[in-house]
Amino acid sequence: MDKNMFEYGVWVRRSLQVILATAMLFCMIHIAQAQQQDIMVRISEIEIHPQHVEHYKTILKEEAEASVRLEPGVIAIFPMFQKDNPTQVRILEMYKDQKAYQSHLKTEHFQKYKTGTLYMVKALKLVDMEALDLVTATQLFRKLKQ
């Protein structure tokens, strides 16, 4: 790997980190300002069959982008995978309320994702969460911008 390629890779990774941090900051500020008790937060823990990881990530990325862009009730869908074990995917999901989540499940883009990746998924666990302190959480992401 030549020096330019290495520097480009570092720049891309750093740019992605800044973009993701900014998106999370926006989401957390929005949540903290709304101070709604009915916000739904979930972490999806997914294990993918190794031979399907790259294809799965492509489909998931498209679904997450469409959900955030098209659905006003979707606050965030933030997919990620374990660095040392890319078959282990985690998705931080935030919805305005339960109704927004139910609406999300019926969208064309979610149905395409769900049916198109069913055979790729080895295990799925949905973990409902509650934030301890949304105000302080927003401060975490502000620090990343400094």
Side-chain angles (χ1 to χ4, degrees):
M1 175 183 279
D2 70 339
K3 183 180 176 186
N4 289 339
M5 192 61 137
F6 174 78
E7 290 175 357
Y8 177 76
V10 170
W11 178 84
V12 167
R13 281 193 298 277
R14 184 64 182 149
S15 297
L16 287 173
Q17 289 172 338
V18 170
I19 290 166
L20 293 174
T22 303
M24 289 302 297
L25 172 62
F26 175 78
C27 291
M28 296 308 288
I29 288 172
H30 181 270
I31 292 169
Q33 287 175 345
Q35 295 183 347
Q36 296 177 355
Q37 296 298 324
D38 52 354
I39 288 178
M40 182 181 165
V41 179
R42 166 176 286 162
I43 296 177
S44 298
E45 299 176 348
I46 307 166
E47 182 177 359
I48 305 302
H49 292 288
Q51 67 271 28
H52 300 298
V53 168
E54 292 308 314
H55 190 214
Y56 177 84
K57 289 191 307 190
T58 299
I59 294 170
L60 175 56
K61 183 178 174 183
E62 290 172 6
E63 195 284 327
E65 186 279 327
S67 296
V68 172
R69 179 173 43 87
L70 298 172
E71 298 178 64
V74 174
I75 298 168
I77 295 187
F78 183 62
M80 57 200 115
F81 59 92
Q82 291 181 11
K83 201 175 202 176
D84 295 333
N85 187 1
T87 64
Q88 296 296 316
V89 175
R90 301 297 181 263
I91 306 171
L92 173 62
E93 302 176 49
M94 296 182 205
Y95 304 93
K96 181 179 173 185
D97 52 29
Q98 184 67 30
K99 183 179 176 184
Y101 172 68
Q102 292 301 322
S103 176
H104 167 70
L105 296 178
K106 296 173 187 169
T107 62
E108 183 179 338
H109 52 268
F110 178 79
Q111 288 298 314
K112 179 182 175 186
Y113 157 77
K114 189 67 174 174
T115 59
T117 61
L118 203 55
Y119 70 97
M120 301 177 190
V121 175
K122 186 175 182 179
L124 168 65
K125 182 178 178 184
L126 304 176
V127 183
D128 289 332
M129 307 294 290
E130 290 214 22
L132 291 175
D133 182 0
L134 292 174
V135 174
T136 300
T138 62
Q139 300 302 316
L140 298 172
F141 298 104
R142 283 190 186 138
K143 286 185 174 186
L144 289 174
K145 289 182 78 175
Q146 297 176 350

